[in-house]
Amino acid sequence: MKLIDEMLSLELLTEQQHREIAAWVRSAKTPEAIMAMPPHLWRAVEAASVAMNIDADLTRPPWLGADWT
């Protein structure tokens, strides 16, 4: 939920999209249920993710000073 809140604050999602996505995620009981989110909402999340360059964060090497214990 924190990520979609950030997408909203960056104006990458509309208030309506944010409400719909949040409601869907809250009602989903399993990861599979989340993945069954309607295509128009997935497109909104995908476009916001691209704008935020989420893929770069996921492929960046870990910070060398990170404590992984």
Side-chain angles (χ1 to χ4, degrees):
M1 297 298 286
K2 186 176 177 181
L3 183 60
I4 65 164
D5 291 345
E6 185 175 353
M7 290 173 172
L8 175 64
S9 73
L10 293 171
E11 299 180 356
L12 300 173
L13 293 176
T14 66
E15 292 274 346
Q16 178 65 28
Q17 289 168 326
H18 182 268
R19 278 192 302 273
E20 289 182 54
I21 294 165
W24 186 273
V25 171
R26 276 193 306 273
S27 70
K29 304 295 183 209
T30 65
E32 292 79 15
I34 293 172
M35 297 302 290
M37 189 165 43
H40 73 282
L41 295 178
W42 272 121
R43 284 191 296 273
V45 170
E46 183 177 49
S49 297
V50 168
M52 291 176 71
N53 204 12
I54 297 290
D55 285 345
D57 284 344
L58 297 175
T59 59
R60 184 178 304 133
W63 179 56
L64 293 177
D67 182 12
W68 295 97
T69 58

